[in-house]
Amino acid sequence: MEKILSWSEGYVDEIEYTQNYHRDMSPVVLNFALLNRMFHGRPEGELRYLELGFGQGISFNIHAAATDGLFWGADFHPGQAANARELARASGANAVVLEESFAELAARPDLPEFDVIVLHGIWSWISEPNRKIIVDIARRKLAPGGLFFMSYNTLPAWAPLLPLQKLLKLHTDLTDKAGTGMHARIDSAMAFAKSLRESGARYLLTQPGIAQWLDVMEQQDKNYFAHEYLNADWHPMSFAEAAQELGEAKLSFAASTEFSDHLDSLNLDPAGQTLLAQITHPILREATRDLCVNRQFRRDVWVKGPRPMSKVQRANQLRQMHFALTVPTDAVSLTKKGQITEFTLQAETGQSVIEALTADDYAPKSIAELIDRTNGLDLQSLMDALTVITSNNHGGPAQSVEQARACKKKTDSLNDRLIERAAFGVSPIFLASPVLGAGVIMPGFEPLFVRAIKEGRTTHEAMAEEAWRSLVARGECLAKDGQPISSKEESLVALTENAAAFTHTRLPILKALMVV
């Protein structure tokens, strides 16, 4: 008898994917990555954007609200599609949110042509037929010069884990009992894996990294664990294999949004740098790089017809680009650590760049303005500094003031809904910045303080009171020295101190990013 798969086609559908955000898929970040590698960005004109497999729709909706354009998104999971539609309605973005499989999406007669197509992670978790459908969509519906972003598990770093993943999947399948939830089955599978390690299994002994993997897996969110390891299809793929499949859609590799890759000295010793410099073919060079750094995950930007630019063209476009910090001045790191060494900006150079970015209450600056404010710092030194800052997620490329203002109403509406969720305990929380065209993480009590400010409670005491009410509604309490704080009075003192620190350090940045 032919095996009948459910609508999920073997993909985990029992529990939903995590509520997370991925900056790499921002159109602004994608263009910055290409410009850094001397390629032209997406075609000019109104942005037409498609996200495949958007999960909970957090990234999709932040980008649709923070960037001007037409946004389409598809995900087969009805619960996730409902969540994404709710957020799209809240922002009022020009968004089409579909509960459809890739095959259903590909068959739509009204599917337009897109300038940008993105997908995060799912390439590793789907079947070969579904990968072929994605390639077909890119072949038929990605405009000439269009961008295709894909992040995926890659070899060689995942290779040692392949047998363990298959065993964990087998365990969850064969020990599945009626009424047993996914979380319980994951706990059982991990207990089994640890007992395997303790039994002296030779494979685990000959692969010393597996022990560290097990420790990491045990701490991972169970919803993430299920979607990462327990799908019927799990295919970490070498860069060369991915390039071969995407080549059917006329896609060529152009850049990475892993910005540490833009500084070769971080992950390659001098001999490795020399080796790569001698390789002229981009596919062979990237495949070799992955072996040199033992790559686990790739974040790649592909282009349908990449257009290299001259140094003069790149310099002219860079001078018009804007940049902004996302953390307070004293939190900006001038160092980026890699696998081989660390790249540290010269103190004088780094400090002058940070001072320029901090000036005028953190207002975003064009590269031309930053050069002027740093006493004529040369363009490459400035770009090295901005690459380090971006790689550390302490800042990033920004849109023009006009572009940001055009999106402010949408981001305000979306952020109101995201903050409302935060008040009821949904975390982690990210808010949309029309300046960045991307999201900003809001840790701790920050969403609650922003909510208070939006409601006119601007004193530290009033902000603390608002945060306290939300914590009580969620059944949570503060802690001090590892012990819960039971009294309201003591809690308000602690929250007032937090509100004062937030107002002094974070609020100016959030205002500059037009989040508040």
Side-chain angles (χ1 to χ4, degrees):
M1 179 181 295
E2 182 181 358
K3 184 178 180 181
I4 299 176
L5 291 176
S6 71
W7 53 267
S8 64
E9 298 187 21
Y11 192 89
V12 170
D13 60 16
E14 182 177 329
I15 55 179
E16 295 183 359
Y17 193 57
T18 55
Q19 302 259 357
N20 220 325
Y21 169 74
H22 303 285
R23 179 183 68 163
D24 305 77
M25 296 186 290
S26 160
V28 180
V29 171
L30 295 175
N31 270 343
F32 180 56
L34 288 171
L35 191 54
N36 229 9
R37 288 305 200 195
M38 298 186 67
F39 285 103
H40 287 278
R42 68 172 181 84
E44 294 184 359
E46 182 186 24
L47 172 66
R48 299 162 300 173
Y49 180 105
L50 169 66
E51 182 174 350
L52 299 170
F54 52 63
Q56 297 291 348
I58 304 299
S59 301
F60 175 80
N61 277 289
I62 284 177
H63 297 148
T67 317
D68 193 26
L70 169 64
F71 284 74
W72 280 55
D75 195 285
F76 76 118
H77 196 293
Q80 294 173 175
N83 188 62
R85 285 184 179 181
E86 177 198 339
L87 295 177
R89 284 194 295 268
S91 72
N94 187 11
V96 179
V97 182
L98 302 170
E99 179 219 330
E100 291 186 348
S101 69
F102 300 142
E104 290 170 329
L105 178 71
R108 290 183 68 101
D110 61 341
L111 190 67
E113 188 176 65
F114 297 99
D115 307 302
V116 178
I117 298 178
V118 301
L119 54 150
H120 168 71
I122 59 172
W123 183 263
S124 309
W125 306 333
I126 58 176
S127 65
E128 181 180 1
N130 271 309
R131 295 201 306 273
K132 288 184 179 296
I133 292 171
I134 289 174
V135 171
D136 177 64
I137 291 173
R139 181 184 62 80
R140 294 186 298 110
K141 293 299 180 179
L142 184 62
L147 315 185
F148 182 91
F149 170 81
M150 184 176 82
S151 58
Y152 58 104
N153 293 336
T154 192
L155 303 175
W158 278 104
L161 197 67
L162 283 166
L164 179 61
Q165 181 273 335
K166 293 183 182 301
L167 190 64
L168 291 173
K169 178 69 170 68
L170 187 67
H171 188 279
T172 57
D173 288 346
L174 299 184
T175 60
D176 184 11
K177 298 179 181 179
T180 302
M182 178 62 77
H183 285 194
R185 301 203 301 276
I186 290 173
D187 287 336
S188 177
M190 284 304 300
F192 174 71
K194 288 194 291 183
S195 67
L196 183 69
R197 178 173 59 182
E198 293 163 1
S199 73
R202 296 297 300 169
Y203 180 76
L204 273 63
L205 292 176
T206 59
Q207 302 290 332
I210 296 294
Q212 285 75 27
W213 269 113
L214 286 173
D215 292 337
V216 170
M217 292 164 73
E218 190 173 14
Q219 301 301 317
Q220 287 174 331
D221 176 271
K222 287 186 175 62
N223 288 48
Y224 170 81
F225 186 104
H227 287 264
E228 176 62 81
Y229 304 111
L230 301 181
N231 293 305
D233 290 283
W234 197 74
H235 307 290
M237 183 178 292
S238 72
F239 173 79
E241 290 172 313
Q244 183 176 13
E245 293 196 13
L246 295 179
E248 296 297 318
K250 303 181 181 179
L251 295 173
S252 300
F253 172 74
S256 171
T257 59
E258 184 66 62
F259 286 97
S260 61
D261 276 0
H262 295 211
L263 301 167
D264 279 342
S265 61
L266 283 174
N267 300 313
L268 298 166
D269 59 26
Q273 295 177 53
T274 300
L275 173 64
L276 287 188
Q278 295 171 345
I279 302 174
T280 58
H281 197 290
I283 303 300
L284 180 58
R285 185 170 58 249
E286 286 301 307
T288 304
R289 182 196 298 273
D290 285 352
L291 286 173
C292 289
V293 304
N294 194 28
R295 181 88 67 188
Q296 173 188 343
F297 195 70
R298 291 194 64 101
R299 300 174 173 89
D300 292 339
V301 189
W302 307 75
V303 182
K304 182 184 278 188
R307 296 169 296 148
M309 58 174 55
S310 68
K311 291 183 178 180
V312 174
Q313 287 176 312
R314 176 177 180 264
N316 287 338
Q317 289 199 24
L318 281 175
R319 290 179 65 87
Q320 299 174 45
M321 191 194 78
H322 289 69
F323 199 90
L325 290 179
T326 56
V327 298
T329 304
D330 57 4
V332 180
S333 174
L334 301 177
T335 297
K336 178 63 182 178
K337 293 184 178 180
Q339 293 182 333
I340 300 296
T341 184
E342 61 182 30
F343 181 91
T344 301
L345 296 166
Q346 292 184 355
E348 184 177 350
T349 298
Q351 197 57 43
S352 66
V353 173
I354 291 174
E355 289 177 0
L357 288 168
T358 305
D360 302 328
D361 295 323
Y362 293 93
K365 319 288 191 310
S366 69
I367 300 297
E369 185 178 357
L370 289 174
I371 291 174
D372 290 341
R373 286 176 176 264
T374 54
N375 298 319
L377 184 67
D378 69 276
L379 181 60
Q380 190 55 54
S381 295
L382 177 59
M383 288 307 299
D384 285 346
L386 298 184
T387 300
V388 169
I389 292 171
T390 303
S391 183
N392 285 326
N393 208 14
H394 293 164
Q399 303 189 98
S400 68
V401 174
E402 293 74 22
Q403 290 171 317
R405 286 174 177 166
C407 297
K408 182 72 163 63
K409 182 178 179 181
K410 292 186 297 178
T411 57
D412 280 348
S413 298
L414 176 63
N415 289 341
D416 285 345
R417 180 58 58 87
L418 293 172
I419 290 170
E420 180 184 341
R421 289 182 169 196
F424 291 97
V426 176
S427 63
I429 180 71
F430 298 83
L431 297 183
S433 165
V435 170
L436 298 174
V440 180
I441 191 168
M442 303 289 291
F445 308 116
E446 289 189 4
L448 305 180
F449 293 151
V450 170
R451 184 188 196 191
I453 292 171
K454 283 176 170 283
E455 294 177 353
R457 300 180 177 91
T458 55
T459 68
H460 301 152
E461 292 76 13
M463 292 163 64
E465 186 74 35
E466 175 64 24
W468 165 253
R469 279 196 290 268
S470 294
L471 291 175
V472 170
R474 282 155 37 176
E476 298 177 6
C477 65
L478 298 176
K480 183 177 182 180
D481 299 326
Q483 299 298 317
I485 299 175
S486 56
S487 73
K488 176 180 179 180
E489 291 74 16
E490 193 175 357
S491 296
L492 287 175
V493 169
L495 286 168
T496 300
E497 292 174 355
N498 274 275
F502 168 80
T503 302
H504 178 67
T505 60
R506 281 284 282 169
L507 187 57
I509 295 172
L510 296 178
K511 287 182 176 179
L513 298 178
M514 295 189 187
V515 173
V516 179

